[in-house]
Amino acid sequence: MSLSFFEAVLLDALVRGGGREALILADIEGVRAGLSEQGARRVGRDYEVEPISVTSGVFHPKLSALVADDDCHMLVGSGNLTFNGWGGNLEAVEHLHPSFSADAIDDAAGFFEMLALADNVRHGAGHHCEVIANDLRKSTLGRPRSGDIRLFHSLDGAISDKIADAVEVLGGATRLVAAAPFWDSGKAISRLCETIGLDHVFIHAHGGGTVQGKIGSNWPSETSVEVRAVELDVLKEEKPRKLHAKAFEIICRRGRLLISGSPNASTAALGAGRNVEACVARFQRDRIVGWTYVPSSPPQAIDPGDDADDGSEPIGILRAVLEGDRVSGQVLAPAMAGAASVFQITTEGPRKLDNVYLADDGSFTANAPGLEVQSWKGGRLVVRVEAADGSAAEGFVSLAAFTEMTRRAGALGPRLLAILAGTETPADVAAMMVWLHEDPRRMAQAAMPISGGGAGVRASPEDQTVDVADLRNVRASVPETDRTAAGGAGWVRFMEYVFAALREKRGPLEQVGTVRNVDADSEEEGDTTEEVQAADRAVDHSMAVFEKFLDKMLSPGLVELHAFRALDLTQYICERLLPDQQRAKGWLQRLLDAFSRIEIPDDRIELVSASILTLLGTRIDENELRAARSRLVGIGADLHGDCPSPELARGFHSVLDQNASFPELWSQVRAIRTFREQARTYLDALARGQPAGGYGELAFAAKDEFATMADAFASERSRKKIVVMKQWSEACPKCHRTLPRIEIGKLRSTAVATARNCCGHVLIWPEEAEKNG
């Protein structure tokens, strides 16, 4: 098995064809080969690999099931899941469809049902097998059946016995022709001949030679029947490839039987209780014309391949599923139990995850904090279990939440994964914004971050065999692990990771950098390449979509739920897409206005404070300083505490020029007083009956009202003309008439106004914010 081939050739074709999920069932030797392929990066996420351990043989069928709603296509052949198996070697494959081979597909369903329960195999794919069997049976409902095409497998008995029974149905054999790359000494083919009543067999001697194997011979050397070497016309090629096809033709008295698939001409393949094999049997009734051939000579004997062997036992194989911070798995081979350690295999070497205790069946559960988010960002995930006696097993880890992610995210899934990995494009960003804009509730499925600059989150309230299957409800099961049931929680965690990725420091997207560099360097409008122009359009589209989404996030009814996610997204857009300063400043102002209307949790005050200082840093004057202080006081910031970290506003700083450092801004904000603070100072002095300092700027800003305010210290009449508003209103609290617009503006900006269209009283609104205003 070659996972590099599968990822490079088949997986993308399946995805382009609309496939949602892919599963490979493979012998443990195939999985062992896959573990050595560092180029296989998508296993466990984009597709699943389930190892199968056979007690006294290998899991050897080559069967592909492409399943859709009430339909399927099946391929049964000889080719392994490798580059050579799908093109380099001479192979044979049967294509089956319910329209003409419903019997064979029902037989395949029976194969998977038996595989789920067979005593001579160990695996964790029982549920997979049940789902496949059910889907195959659904596809054959109401389809015609002739019995002329069947699927033979070895889970319910020897394939050779089934061939003999089929020959008897067709009236007995008159000729047997066989082609296969691997043979035992001749015992299997001799037994088959004797069973069907033949004393000789024609065997294809391939001009291009045969694939070299690790066991068996390329020719039967010791048979009890006569062997006649021939060259079959049907297997001739102009440029002959090495033979790996397995095919048997038996001419019978009342027809012809063709067998092709995975079984070689060996006792392990054709006999009972050994390999797990599968092949297609075609009954061609009343046909007595068979393959044509010319006499040939037996090939030169080739010894089995001798792989380098250092005398050590091969690494064992396990299967595992990652859900949240826990890895659950099972060692399939060899048998392991007792105390053990679990490691993650990385390019830098093994990294210990946990100490575990292996149950008698090899199952275990290990703690693996941080491993899930790492796996979402790409790259394969392999774990190793080492027992106290030195035995060890390795295996791929399946990401339990991946199926739920693909179901919920649909076509956006690859784009979200690109954002997680930091490889997104402006088109990916735009697609994500459209997806979120369509249903903002999708954002509620992600947890709120603990802090804008941190990674923490808190929960939101709200041969080997090949089976490539487009399954609808796949799970990777270990004892007590239900992947489907775990999907909802996994989806929430996945969205947490996406929003955490938006807060990571990454700089501008590569395409954006290209656009900006061209804009800076080009003197003429026509200097940009088509690629750069396309990137520029994608950037503009992304920002336009984002602005629409920002409108929705900050709208009444949604702002309390989405304000902080809006802040995260805005900083991400600024850092990755580099909007112009005026645009970014407008976004920041809208966000800060939104924060003035909601309660700010204590753990988010520093983040909002950093955003306030960033806006102040773009323009520093007395009015802006007071506005910044007013915002800070309004959110409950501790102005006597430490200065906020500028790192929390990193995204904004990537596009907004700052005229002073954060410590300098913090010092200036602490030194100034807002008009409302001065109004409170004035009212305190008035309560004591003694004028005081600390509100001189208010006296100048509210000079029309301050004559009355100053006289109130000495005049009871003037004191009675001052009304302190206990709650915000745009109407006079005494006369209940709406104030003139200019007075409403003064009340908001300087905390002091006059009820000019009614009683003429001086109105003072000393509160710092108007949450409901």
Side-chain angles (χ1 to χ4, degrees):
M1 178 175 70
S2 170
L3 297 182
S4 297
F5 163 74
F6 178 74
E7 292 184 10
V9 179
L10 299 184
L11 183 58
D12 286 338
L14 289 170
V15 172
R16 287 195 300 272
R20 293 189 295 272
E21 296 158 32
L23 164 70
I24 300 173
L25 304 180
D27 184 76
I28 57 174
E29 286 296 329
V31 175
R32 188 174 288 121
L35 287 167
S36 67
E37 294 183 276
Q38 293 299 322
R41 309 296 296 170
R42 300 162 68 180
V43 59
R45 295 189 307 122
D46 294 355
Y47 64 99
E48 304 298 328
V49 173
E50 284 287 355
I52 310 289
S53 175
V54 180
T55 303
S56 57
V58 296
F59 190 67
H60 198 248
K62 295 88 168 62
L63 186 155
S64 299
L66 307 173
V67 183
D69 292 337
D70 301 326
D71 195 12
C72 80
H73 291 267
M74 289 188 63
L75 303 177
V76 182
S78 60
N80 293 311
L81 188 61
T82 63
F83 288 95
N84 282 335
W86 283 62
N89 300 330
L90 178 59
E91 308 279 4
V93 62
E94 290 270 11
H95 169 237
L96 306 178
H97 186 266
S99 61
F100 61 85
S101 55
D103 297 293
I105 292 175
D106 280 342
D107 293 334
F111 168 78
F112 284 106
E113 288 167 347
M114 294 191 69
L115 182 60
L117 302 171
D119 293 333
N120 65 326
V121 295
R122 294 188 70 204
H123 59 79
H127 182 77
H128 286 297
C129 295
E130 294 169 3
V131 171
I132 297 169
N134 289 337
D135 285 346
L136 293 178
R137 292 201 186 280
K138 282 173 57 179
S139 73
T140 64
L141 291 175
R143 301 285 191 167
R145 290 166 170 78
S146 66
D148 290 342
I149 303 177
R150 303 300 299 267
L151 184 134
F152 293 166
H153 60 83
S154 59
L155 287 174
D156 57 354
I159 289 177
S160 60
D161 291 344
K162 297 175 184 179
I163 293 174
D165 291 342
V167 167
E168 185 176 352
V169 169
L170 295 177
T174 61
R175 189 184 82 174
L176 169 61
V177 181
F182 306 121
W183 306 74
D184 55 16
S185 62
K187 181 178 179 181
I189 197 65
S190 297
R191 181 179 181 276
L192 180 59
C193 287
E194 293 166 358
T195 302
I196 62 177
L198 296 177
D199 60 3
H200 65 279
V201 59
F202 297 90
I203 297 180
H204 174 65
H206 192 61
T210 60
V211 172
Q212 188 174 10
K214 295 181 180 179
I215 58 174
S217 172
N218 63 328
W219 194 258
S221 57
E222 301 176 13
T223 61
S224 60
V225 297
E226 180 186 359
V227 174
R228 300 176 185 177
V230 297
E231 185 176 14
L232 293 172
D233 291 333
V234 72
L235 295 180
K236 280 187 177 180
E237 294 184 297
E238 183 177 345
K239 295 182 178 179
R241 293 168 290 175
K242 291 186 178 298
L243 177 72
H244 192 252
K246 295 91 168 157
F248 303 84
E249 179 202 56
I250 305 174
I251 302 296
C252 302
R253 292 181 178 86
R254 292 197 302 271
R256 178 180 183 231
L257 181 66
L258 290 177
I259 306 291
S260 68
S262 68
N264 286 293
S266 66
T267 301
L270 297 176
R274 298 288 298 277
N275 293 354
V276 177
E277 307 274 4
C279 57
V280 171
R282 286 183 176 267
F283 294 75
Q284 297 180 341
R285 305 177 195 277
D286 300 324
R287 178 174 178 178
I288 58 174
V289 177
W291 289 330
T292 58
Y293 53 80
V294 296
S296 185
S297 301
Q300 182 178 356
I302 300 177
D303 294 329
D306 183 19
D307 291 346
D309 187 355
D310 60 5
S312 61
E313 288 294 321
I315 190 71
I317 297 298
L318 61 83
R319 66 177 304 280
V321 176
L322 173 64
E323 182 181 351
D325 289 338
R326 296 176 75 82
V327 174
S328 299
Q330 183 179 27
V331 177
L332 299 177
M336 292 173 60
S341 297
V342 179
F343 299 84
Q344 178 193 2
I345 303 302
T346 71
T347 54
E348 291 79 25
R351 180 176 74 89
K352 188 170 181 178
L353 298 177
D354 199 6
N355 292 320
V356 299
Y357 191 87
L358 301 176
D360 291 341
D361 64 353
S363 60
F364 64 90
T365 300
N367 294 314
L371 198 57
E372 188 177 50
V373 64
Q374 174 188 332
S375 65
W376 279 117
K377 292 185 177 182
R380 67 184 196 162
L381 187 57
V382 175
V383 296
R384 178 186 180 97
V385 171
E386 293 184 1
D389 63 3
S391 57
E394 292 183 3
F396 296 111
V397 180
S398 167
L399 194 56
F402 193 82
T403 297
E404 184 69 6
M405 187 280 290
T406 56
R407 183 184 72 81
R408 290 181 182 249
L412 190 75
R415 297 184 185 273
L416 293 177
L417 290 174
I419 289 170
L420 270 174
T423 59
E424 74 272 29
T425 66
D428 295 329
V429 177
M432 179 182 69
M433 295 302 166
V434 169
W435 183 73
L436 292 172
H437 183 265
E438 289 172 349
D439 186 358
R441 290 175 299 178
R442 289 165 173 157
M443 284 208 308
Q445 294 162 340
M448 291 278 284
I450 290 176
S451 64
V457 292
R458 69 183 184 196
S460 172
E462 338 166 48
D463 111 331
Q464 293 58 309
T465 190
V466 179
D467 174 66
V468 182
D470 176 19
L471 304 175
R472 289 176 295 286
N473 295 300
V474 170
R475 70 177 180 183
S477 59
V478 293
E480 306 303 321
T481 298
D482 186 329
R483 184 174 185 181
T484 303
W491 169 251
V492 172
R493 291 195 305 274
F494 174 74
M495 289 303 296
E496 291 174 10
Y497 300 144
V498 170
F499 276 87
L502 299 181
R503 298 188 297 274
E504 292 180 358
K505 184 176 182 178
R506 291 178 173 176
L509 296 176
E510 181 179 354
Q511 300 91 330
V512 175
T514 301
V515 170
R516 297 296 182 262
N517 289 336
V518 170
D519 288 345
D521 297 340
S522 297
E523 296 182 359
E524 298 183 10
E525 189 174 344
D527 285 349
T528 58
T529 66
E530 183 175 339
E531 182 178 355
V532 170
Q533 290 171 349
D536 202 10
R537 289 192 296 271
V539 171
D540 289 342
H541 178 57
S542 297
M543 287 194 284
V545 173
F546 166 72
E547 287 189 324
K548 292 180 181 178
F549 186 41
L550 186 63
D551 289 340
K552 181 172 286 190
M553 287 188 288
L554 300 184
S555 63
L558 292 178
V559 64
E560 289 193 359
L561 183 62
H562 297 314
F564 289 102
R565 296 184 183 97
L567 180 60
D568 288 338
L569 284 170
T570 306
Q571 293 221 59
Y572 167 80
I573 291 293
C574 288
E575 186 171 14
R576 296 297 260 168
L577 300 186
L578 300 181
D580 62 74
Q581 290 202 55
Q582 184 176 358
R583 198 174 200 177
K585 185 175 180 179
W587 295 342
L588 179 54
Q589 287 174 323
R590 292 176 60 195
L591 285 164
L592 295 180
D593 289 343
F595 287 129
S596 72
R597 303 195 301 271
I598 66 174
E599 296 296 329
I600 308 299
D602 291 344
D603 59 355
R604 308 307 300 275
I605 288 177
E606 186 184 6
L607 169 63
V608 180
S609 298
S611 302
I612 292 170
L613 290 186
T614 298
L615 180 63
L616 173 62
T618 63
R619 180 182 175 183
I620 308 171
D621 59 28
E622 201 170 78
N623 289 334
E624 296 299 333
L625 283 166
R626 285 200 184 92
R629 182 179 176 95
S630 177
R631 285 189 168 112
L632 289 166
V633 172
I635 66 171
D638 180 9
L639 291 172
H640 299 289
D642 294 334
C643 174
S645 169
E647 183 64 17
L648 297 177
R650 182 188 64 247
F652 293 124
H653 288 180
S654 63
V655 290
L656 295 178
D657 292 337
Q658 298 292 287
N659 295 307
S661 68
F662 261 35
E664 292 170 332
L665 295 172
W666 190 245
S667 177
Q668 292 181 62
V669 166
R670 292 174 64 175
I672 203 167
R673 291 294 179 271
T674 68
F675 288 129
R676 284 188 169 78
E677 288 177 303
Q678 293 184 50
R680 288 195 294 273
T681 300
Y682 165 79
L683 292 173
D684 290 341
L686 185 62
R688 294 191 301 270
Q690 292 292 330
Y695 47 84
E697 292 166 323
L698 176 62
F700 179 78
K703 54 180 178 288
D704 290 344
E705 291 81 10
F706 203 76
T708 301
M709 294 168 64
D711 194 49
F713 286 99
S715 169
E716 183 65 22
R717 181 180 179 186
S718 294
R719 182 187 290 251
K720 290 181 178 180
K721 296 186 70 173
I722 296 176
V723 177
V724 180
M725 301 175 66
K726 302 301 183 184
Q727 63 183 20
W728 171 258
S729 175
E730 294 185 357
C732 173
K734 294 181 68 67
C735 306
H736 307 293
R737 293 186 63 181
T738 302
L739 299 172
R741 296 184 66 84
I742 191 170
E743 297 301 322
I744 294 173
K746 288 170 56 180
L747 196 61
R748 280 200 172 103
S749 61
T750 65
V752 177
T754 301
R756 294 193 183 279
N757 57 340
C758 52
C759 61
H761 282 56
V762 174
L763 308 179
I764 300 178
W765 163 241
E767 297 301 319
E768 199 61 46
E770 36 185 285
K771 298 289 184 186
N772 300 315

